[in-house]
Amino acid sequence: SESVKDDFDIPVQRDAEYTLRYLEARLDEISGVFTDKKADMHLTTPEAVFDMSKDIWRVAKANVCLALGNYAEAMSCLQQIADSGRYALDSGNEYEPGDGTIMHLIVADEVMQGHSIGYYSYADVLLTLAECNIVTGNDAKASVLIRQVAEAKDMTVCGNNIDDMAKLRRQLFIPRYF
């Protein structure tokens, strides 16, 4: 596509919705290159980096859909991850390699000594799926998902979906939507 320019030949800045729709279209274009497999939290070889799980694509697509207010499509992407059976919750810390159920990229030491780049955990996927259920009117399903995360992490919830999600996200260091 051609870049839009103004009288000064400087690219015109687009609004957020335009940018998100552009990103959504590009994500759709590349969806077929990903493999339906469990996300590997230790991508240390170039081959592994370029053979990423489609679940990482699904999370990215869901986030774009959430930003566009398309909760039904976001829910579809996240539900595919939940239904895959590739992940399970445990009591570990979500962002420590070897604990929790991290969908995590670790940059090789040759690239960036001692650094890692976190992505998303399965608990985050379930909490975001709960958010989609709340917005689309399925509070009961949201409550089941929230309790599932809380029980796995040995945490208590009060029964108010939004308050419970906020508490879980804070305590699990998953500061997103709610």
Side-chain angles (χ1 to χ4, degrees):
S1 83
E2 191 171 279
S3 178
V4 177
K5 300 188 181 243
D6 63 16
D7 293 338
F8 300 103
D9 212 28
I10 298 172
V12 174
Q13 185 172 353
R14 298 292 193 157
D15 64 18
E17 182 175 352
Y18 177 90
T19 303
L20 288 165
R21 294 215 180 274
Y22 177 84
L23 181 57
E24 181 180 35
R26 300 301 77 79
L27 282 168
D28 289 344
E29 286 176 7
I30 65 170
S31 69
V33 302
F34 297 94
T35 306
D36 259 329
K37 63 180 183 178
K38 185 173 183 176
D40 183 359
M41 66 181 206
H42 298 288
L43 299 176
T44 56
T45 67
E47 294 81 15
V49 170
F50 289 107
D51 185 26
M52 290 178 66
S53 166
K54 190 160 188 174
D55 293 336
I56 300 299
W57 176 89
R58 287 181 177 108
V59 172
K61 171 79 175 193
N63 284 328
V64 170
C65 291
L66 287 169
L68 288 168
N70 186 349
Y71 287 90
E73 191 166 354
M75 188 166 28
S76 174
C77 291
L78 298 169
Q79 191 65 55
Q80 288 176 52
I81 297 170
D83 291 345
S84 74
R86 288 186 280 270
Y87 308 95
L89 292 166
D90 70 23
S91 60
N93 179 339
E94 290 302 300
Y95 292 100
E96 290 296 325
D99 293 333
T101 50
I102 306 165
M103 299 157 88
H104 193 82
L105 302 176
I106 297 206
V107 179
D109 281 348
E110 299 84 38
V111 177
M112 218 167 36
Q113 187 70 31
H115 287 80
S116 65
I117 300 171
Y119 204 68
Y120 293 97
S121 69
Y122 186 53
D124 184 23
V125 167
L126 294 180
L127 291 174
T128 305
L129 184 56
E131 175 187 346
C132 291
N133 276 282
I134 290 169
V135 173
T136 58
N138 194 345
D139 287 336
K141 173 71 175 182
S143 185
V144 167
L145 292 163
I146 292 165
R147 280 194 317 274
Q148 182 181 349
V149 173
E151 288 171 9
K153 302 300 178 181
D154 198 28
M155 298 169 67
T156 58
V157 290
C158 68
N160 177 305
N161 284 343
I162 293 174
D163 291 345
D164 291 340
M165 284 182 62
K167 175 185 176 181
L168 290 171
R169 286 189 177 283
R170 259 192 323 276
Q171 290 183 347
L172 295 174
F173 303 104
I174 309 173
R176 293 179 5 102
Y177 293 90
F178 281 130

mmCIF file of all heavy atoms in Angstrom, residues 140-172:
data_model
loop_
_atom_site.group_PDB
_atom_site.id
_atom_site.type_symbol
_atom_site.label_atom_id
_atom_site.label_comp_id
_atom_site.label_asym_id
_atom_site.label_seq_id
_atom_site.Cartn_x
_atom_site.Cartn_y
_atom_site.Cartn_z
ATOM 1 N N ALA A 140 -21.099 -16.136 34.278
ATOM 2 C CA ALA A 140 -20.899 -17.444 34.903
ATOM 3 C C ALA A 140 -19.632 -18.108 34.371
ATOM 4 O O ALA A 140 -18.838 -18.654 35.149
ATOM 5 C CB ALA A 140 -22.115 -18.331 34.661
ATOM 6 N N LYS A 141 -19.423 -18.073 33.067
ATOM 7 C CA LYS A 141 -18.209 -18.651 32.464
ATOM 8 C C LYS A 141 -16.978 -17.884 32.955
ATOM 9 O O LYS A 141 -15.948 -18.483 33.271
ATOM 10 C CB LYS A 141 -18.305 -18.602 30.939
ATOM 11 C CG LYS A 141 -17.055 -19.001 30.209
ATOM 12 C CD LYS A 141 -16.765 -20.474 30.294
ATOM 13 C CE LYS A 141 -15.561 -20.798 29.423
ATOM 14 N NZ LYS A 141 -15.211 -22.164 29.393
ATOM 15 N N ALA A 142 -17.095 -16.557 33.031
ATOM 16 C CA ALA A 142 -15.980 -15.740 33.528
ATOM 17 C C ALA A 142 -15.619 -16.145 34.948
ATOM 18 O O ALA A 142 -14.442 -16.301 35.286
ATOM 19 C CB ALA A 142 -16.339 -14.261 33.474
ATOM 20 N N SER A 143 -16.628 -16.359 35.776
ATOM 21 C CA SER A 143 -16.400 -16.742 37.168
ATOM 22 C C SER A 143 -15.675 -18.083 37.269
ATOM 23 O O SER A 143 -14.768 -18.250 38.092
ATOM 24 C CB SER A 143 -17.740 -16.795 37.900
ATOM 25 O OG SER A 143 -17.553 -17.051 39.263
ATOM 26 N N VAL A 144 -16.037 -19.036 36.418
ATOM 27 C CA VAL A 144 -15.380 -20.346 36.403
ATOM 28 C C VAL A 144 -13.903 -20.182 36.057
ATOM 29 O O VAL A 144 -13.021 -20.765 36.701
ATOM 30 C CB VAL A 144 -16.077 -21.298 35.401
ATOM 31 C CG1 VAL A 144 -15.239 -22.537 35.142
ATOM 32 C CG2 VAL A 144 -17.462 -21.675 35.906
ATOM 33 N N LEU A 145 -13.610 -19.376 35.041
ATOM 34 C CA LEU A 145 -12.218 -19.157 34.624
ATOM 35 C C LEU A 145 -11.409 -18.466 35.720
ATOM 36 O O LEU A 145 -10.274 -18.842 36.004
ATOM 37 C CB LEU A 145 -12.176 -18.334 33.333
ATOM 38 C CG LEU A 145 -12.707 -19.046 32.085
ATOM 39 C CD1 LEU A 145 -13.000 -18.040 30.977
ATOM 40 C CD2 LEU A 145 -11.726 -20.112 31.624
ATOM 41 N N ILE A 146 -11.997 -17.474 36.351
ATOM 42 C CA ILE A 146 -11.324 -16.734 37.417
ATOM 43 C C ILE A 146 -11.027 -17.663 38.599
ATOM 44 O O ILE A 146 -9.918 -17.677 39.136
ATOM 45 C CB ILE A 146 -12.165 -15.511 37.850
ATOM 46 C CG1 ILE A 146 -12.197 -14.482 36.712
ATOM 47 C CG2 ILE A 146 -11.640 -14.906 39.151
ATOM 48 C CD1 ILE A 146 -13.269 -13.415 36.865
ATOM 49 N N ARG A 147 -12.022 -18.453 38.992
ATOM 50 C CA ARG A 147 -11.819 -19.401 40.101
ATOM 51 C C ARG A 147 -10.765 -20.449 39.743
ATOM 52 O O ARG A 147 -9.983 -20.867 40.597
ATOM 53 C CB ARG A 147 -13.140 -20.065 40.496
ATOM 54 C CG ARG A 147 -14.013 -19.192 41.380
ATOM 55 C CD ARG A 147 -15.144 -19.973 42.049
ATOM 56 N NE ARG A 147 -15.830 -20.907 41.174
ATOM 57 C CZ ARG A 147 -16.856 -20.601 40.367
ATOM 58 N NH1 ARG A 147 -17.312 -19.365 40.348
ATOM 59 N NH2 ARG A 147 -17.426 -21.521 39.615
ATOM 60 N N GLN A 148 -10.731 -20.863 38.487
ATOM 61 C CA GLN A 148 -9.734 -21.846 38.039
ATOM 62 C C GLN A 148 -8.320 -21.307 38.254
ATOM 63 O O GLN A 148 -7.450 -22.011 38.779
ATOM 64 C CB GLN A 148 -9.973 -22.153 36.558
ATOM 65 C CG GLN A 148 -9.061 -23.190 35.979
ATOM 66 C CD GLN A 148 -9.347 -23.427 34.487
ATOM 67 O OE1 GLN A 148 -10.342 -22.967 33.941
ATOM 68 N NE2 GLN A 148 -8.453 -24.136 33.841
ATOM 69 N N VAL A 149 -8.091 -20.060 37.890
ATOM 70 C CA VAL A 149 -6.774 -19.447 38.088
ATOM 71 C C VAL A 149 -6.495 -19.285 39.578
ATOM 72 O O VAL A 149 -5.411 -19.641 40.058
ATOM 73 C CB VAL A 149 -6.670 -18.086 37.353
ATOM 74 C CG1 VAL A 149 -5.369 -17.372 37.715
ATOM 75 C CG2 VAL A 149 -6.780 -18.279 35.841
ATOM 76 N N ALA A 150 -7.460 -18.773 40.328
ATOM 77 C CA ALA A 150 -7.272 -18.540 41.767
ATOM 78 C C ALA A 150 -6.945 -19.841 42.505
ATOM 79 O O ALA A 150 -6.020 -19.878 43.322
ATOM 80 C CB ALA A 150 -8.515 -17.886 42.358
ATOM 81 N N GLU A 151 -7.676 -20.907 42.212
ATOM 82 C CA GLU A 151 -7.437 -22.182 42.886
ATOM 83 C C GLU A 151 -6.056 -22.741 42.562
ATOM 84 O O GLU A 151 -5.362 -23.239 43.445
ATOM 85 C CB GLU A 151 -8.530 -23.183 42.517
ATOM 86 C CG GLU A 151 -9.860 -22.860 43.163
ATOM 87 C CD GLU A 151 -11.019 -23.699 42.638
ATOM 88 O OE1 GLU A 151 -10.777 -24.676 41.881
ATOM 89 O OE2 GLU A 151 -12.168 -23.368 42.980
ATOM 90 N N ALA A 152 -5.647 -22.633 41.299
ATOM 91 C CA ALA A 152 -4.323 -23.145 40.911
ATOM 92 C C ALA A 152 -3.208 -22.376 41.605
ATOM 93 O O ALA A 152 -2.168 -22.941 41.937
ATOM 94 C CB ALA A 152 -4.149 -23.065 39.394
ATOM 95 N N LYS A 153 -3.436 -21.101 41.830
ATOM 96 C CA LYS A 153 -2.425 -20.246 42.458
ATOM 97 C C LYS A 153 -2.604 -20.166 43.970
ATOM 98 O O LYS A 153 -1.919 -19.395 44.638
ATOM 99 C CB LYS A 153 -2.466 -18.834 41.857
ATOM 100 C CG LYS A 153 -2.237 -18.812 40.356
ATOM 101 C CD LYS A 153 -0.888 -19.389 40.002
ATOM 102 C CE LYS A 153 -0.670 -19.405 38.509
ATOM 103 N NZ LYS A 153 0.611 -19.987 38.144
ATOM 104 N N ASP A 154 -3.540 -20.955 44.517
ATOM 105 C CA ASP A 154 -3.821 -20.988 45.951
ATOM 106 C C ASP A 154 -4.146 -19.599 46.488
ATOM 107 O O ASP A 154 -3.610 -19.154 47.502
ATOM 108 C CB ASP A 154 -2.645 -21.615 46.713
ATOM 109 C CG ASP A 154 -3.048 -22.058 48.108
ATOM 110 O OD1 ASP A 154 -4.249 -22.388 48.302
ATOM 111 O OD2 ASP A 154 -2.186 -22.068 49.003
ATOM 112 N N MET A 155 -5.043 -18.925 45.769
ATOM 113 C CA MET A 155 -5.481 -17.587 46.154
ATOM 114 C C MET A 155 -6.991 -17.611 46.379
ATOM 115 O O MET A 155 -7.692 -18.448 45.816
ATOM 116 C CB MET A 155 -5.117 -16.582 45.060
ATOM 117 C CG MET A 155 -3.614 -16.480 44.829
ATOM 118 S SD MET A 155 -3.179 -15.554 43.346
ATOM 119 C CE MET A 155 -3.720 -13.929 43.785
ATOM 120 N N THR A 156 -7.468 -16.696 47.189
ATOM 121 C CA THR A 156 -8.903 -16.612 47.423
ATOM 122 C C THR A 156 -9.491 -15.457 46.622
ATOM 123 O O THR A 156 -8.811 -14.465 46.350
ATOM 124 C CB THR A 156 -9.219 -16.388 48.914
ATOM 125 O OG1 THR A 156 -8.572 -15.190 49.344
ATOM 126 C CG2 THR A 156 -8.752 -17.560 49.757
ATOM 127 N N VAL A 157 -10.747 -15.623 46.246
ATOM 128 C CA VAL A 157 -11.467 -14.572 45.527
ATOM 129 C C VAL A 157 -12.771 -14.301 46.255
ATOM 130 O O VAL A 157 -13.266 -15.142 46.999
ATOM 131 C CB VAL A 157 -11.719 -14.961 44.051
ATOM 132 C CG1 VAL A 157 -10.416 -14.971 43.268
ATOM 133 C CG2 VAL A 157 -12.405 -16.303 43.931
ATOM 134 N N CYS A 158 -13.341 -13.118 46.029
ATOM 135 C CA CYS A 158 -14.534 -12.701 46.770
ATOM 136 C C CYS A 158 -15.842 -12.984 46.033
ATOM 137 O O CYS A 158 -16.902 -12.913 46.622
ATOM 138 C CB CYS A 158 -14.441 -11.216 47.120
ATOM 139 S SG CYS A 158 -14.528 -10.112 45.689
ATOM 140 N N GLY A 159 -15.779 -13.274 44.739
ATOM 141 C CA GLY A 159 -16.997 -13.547 43.990
ATOM 142 C C GLY A 159 -17.440 -12.411 43.086
ATOM 143 O O GLY A 159 -18.399 -12.542 42.348
ATOM 144 N N ASN A 160 -16.744 -11.286 43.132
ATOM 145 C CA ASN A 160 -17.011 -10.180 42.211
ATOM 146 C C ASN A 160 -15.985 -10.299 41.080
ATOM 147 O O ASN A 160 -14.792 -10.091 41.300
ATOM 148 C CB ASN A 160 -16.871 -8.842 42.938
ATOM 149 C CG ASN A 160 -17.071 -7.657 42.017
ATOM 150 O OD1 ASN A 160 -16.402 -7.532 40.993
ATOM 151 N ND2 ASN A 160 -17.991 -6.783 42.396
ATOM 152 N N ASN A 161 -16.462 -10.660 39.908
ATOM 153 C CA ASN A 161 -15.547 -10.978 38.802
ATOM 154 C C ASN A 161 -14.509 -9.895 38.541
ATOM 155 O O ASN A 161 -13.324 -10.187 38.394
ATOM 156 C CB ASN A 161 -16.336 -11.265 37.524
ATOM 157 C CG ASN A 161 -16.986 -12.621 37.531
ATOM 158 O OD1 ASN A 161 -16.630 -13.494 38.324
ATOM 159 N ND2 ASN A 161 -17.949 -12.816 36.654
ATOM 160 N N ILE A 162 -14.929 -8.655 38.453
ATOM 161 C CA ILE A 162 -13.991 -7.581 38.113
ATOM 162 C C ILE A 162 -12.981 -7.365 39.230
ATOM 163 O O ILE A 162 -11.775 -7.255 38.980
ATOM 164 C CB ILE A 162 -14.749 -6.288 37.746
ATOM 165 C CG1 ILE A 162 -15.515 -6.533 36.437
ATOM 166 C CG2 ILE A 162 -13.796 -5.105 37.613
ATOM 167 C CD1 ILE A 162 -16.419 -5.418 36.008
ATOM 168 N N ASP A 163 -13.455 -7.337 40.476
ATOM 169 C CA ASP A 163 -12.531 -7.186 41.605
ATOM 170 C C ASP A 163 -11.569 -8.367 41.699
ATOM 171 O O ASP A 163 -10.370 -8.198 41.955
ATOM 172 C CB ASP A 163 -13.301 -7.043 42.925
ATOM 173 C CG ASP A 163 -14.045 -5.724 43.034
ATOM 174 O OD1 ASP A 163 -13.763 -4.790 42.236
ATOM 175 O OD2 ASP A 163 -14.935 -5.626 43.908
ATOM 176 N N ASP A 164 -12.102 -9.569 41.476
ATOM 177 C CA ASP A 164 -11.263 -10.766 41.537
ATOM 178 C C ASP A 164 -10.201 -10.756 40.442
ATOM 179 O O ASP A 164 -9.043 -11.112 40.687
ATOM 180 C CB ASP A 164 -12.115 -12.031 41.424
ATOM 181 C CG ASP A 164 -12.980 -12.265 42.656
ATOM 182 O OD1 ASP A 164 -12.664 -11.702 43.729
ATOM 183 O OD2 ASP A 164 -13.975 -13.007 42.538
ATOM 184 N N MET A 165 -10.586 -10.351 39.235
ATOM 185 C CA MET A 165 -9.605 -10.283 38.148
ATOM 186 C C MET A 165 -8.516 -9.264 38.465
ATOM 187 O O MET A 165 -7.336 -9.527 38.251
ATOM 188 C CB MET A 165 -10.288 -9.921 36.829
ATOM 189 C CG MET A 165 -11.047 -11.086 36.239
ATOM 190 S SD MET A 165 -11.791 -10.692 34.664
ATOM 191 C CE MET A 165 -10.356 -10.322 33.704
ATOM 192 N N ALA A 166 -8.908 -8.121 38.975
ATOM 193 C CA ALA A 166 -7.926 -7.089 39.317
ATOM 194 C C ALA A 166 -6.956 -7.603 40.376
ATOM 195 O O ALA A 166 -5.740 -7.410 40.268
ATOM 196 C CB ALA A 166 -8.640 -5.828 39.800
ATOM 197 N N LYS A 167 -7.483 -8.274 41.382
ATOM 198 C CA LYS A 167 -6.644 -8.827 42.452
ATOM 199 C C LYS A 167 -5.677 -9.867 41.895
ATOM 200 O O LYS A 167 -4.471 -9.832 42.188
ATOM 201 C CB LYS A 167 -7.526 -9.459 43.529
ATOM 202 C CG LYS A 167 -6.746 -10.173 44.622
ATOM 203 C CD LYS A 167 -7.675 -10.872 45.594
ATOM 204 C CE LYS A 167 -6.878 -11.658 46.618
ATOM 205 N NZ LYS A 167 -7.768 -12.368 47.549
ATOM 206 N N LEU A 168 -6.179 -10.799 41.091
ATOM 207 C CA LEU A 168 -5.318 -11.841 40.528
ATOM 208 C C LEU A 168 -4.240 -11.243 39.636
ATOM 209 O O LEU A 168 -3.079 -11.632 39.708
ATOM 210 C CB LEU A 168 -6.156 -12.858 39.746
ATOM 211 C CG LEU A 168 -7.048 -13.762 40.578
ATOM 212 C CD1 LEU A 168 -7.981 -14.566 39.679
ATOM 213 C CD2 LEU A 168 -6.228 -14.679 41.461
ATOM 214 N N ARG A 169 -4.608 -10.303 38.805
ATOM 215 C CA ARG A 169 -3.625 -9.686 37.901
ATOM 216 C C ARG A 169 -2.533 -8.960 38.695
ATOM 217 O O ARG A 169 -1.366 -9.041 38.361
ATOM 218 C CB ARG A 169 -4.309 -8.742 36.918
ATOM 219 C CG ARG A 169 -5.064 -9.504 35.843
ATOM 220 C CD ARG A 169 -5.544 -8.570 34.755
ATOM 221 N NE ARG A 169 -6.210 -9.267 33.690
ATOM 222 C CZ ARG A 169 -5.602 -9.960 32.735
ATOM 223 N NH1 ARG A 169 -4.295 -10.050 32.711
ATOM 224 N NH2 ARG A 169 -6.288 -10.567 31.792
ATOM 225 N N ARG A 170 -2.941 -8.257 39.749
ATOM 226 C CA ARG A 170 -1.953 -7.556 40.590
ATOM 227 C C ARG A 170 -1.013 -8.546 41.265
ATOM 228 O O ARG A 170 0.200 -8.401 41.232
ATOM 229 C CB ARG A 170 -2.660 -6.723 41.661
ATOM 230 C CG ARG A 170 -2.762 -5.260 41.367
ATOM 231 C CD ARG A 170 -3.208 -4.428 42.563
ATOM 232 N NE ARG A 170 -4.203 -5.036 43.427
ATOM 233 C CZ ARG A 170 -5.522 -5.014 43.229
ATOM 234 N NH1 ARG A 170 -6.016 -4.421 42.165
ATOM 235 N NH2 ARG A 170 -6.346 -5.577 44.068
ATOM 236 N N GLN A 171 -1.592 -9.566 41.893
ATOM 237 C CA GLN A 171 -0.780 -10.497 42.668
ATOM 238 C C GLN A 171 0.066 -11.413 41.789
ATOM 239 O O GLN A 171 1.104 -11.899 42.224
ATOM 240 C CB GLN A 171 -1.657 -11.308 43.617
ATOM 241 C CG GLN A 171 -2.198 -10.436 44.730
ATOM 242 C CD GLN A 171 -3.014 -11.211 45.739
ATOM 243 O OE1 GLN A 171 -3.399 -12.352 45.537
ATOM 244 N NE2 GLN A 171 -3.285 -10.570 46.865
ATOM 245 N N LEU A 172 -0.371 -11.656 40.564
ATOM 246 C CA LEU A 172 0.393 -12.508 39.648
ATOM 247 C C LEU A 172 1.269 -11.682 38.694
ATOM 248 O O LEU A 172 1.908 -12.228 37.820
ATOM 249 C CB LEU A 172 -0.562 -13.392 38.831
ATOM 250 C CG LEU A 172 -1.367 -14.412 39.639
ATOM 251 C CD1 LEU A 172 -2.387 -15.117 38.741
ATOM 252 C CD2 LEU A 172 -0.443 -15.422 40.301
#
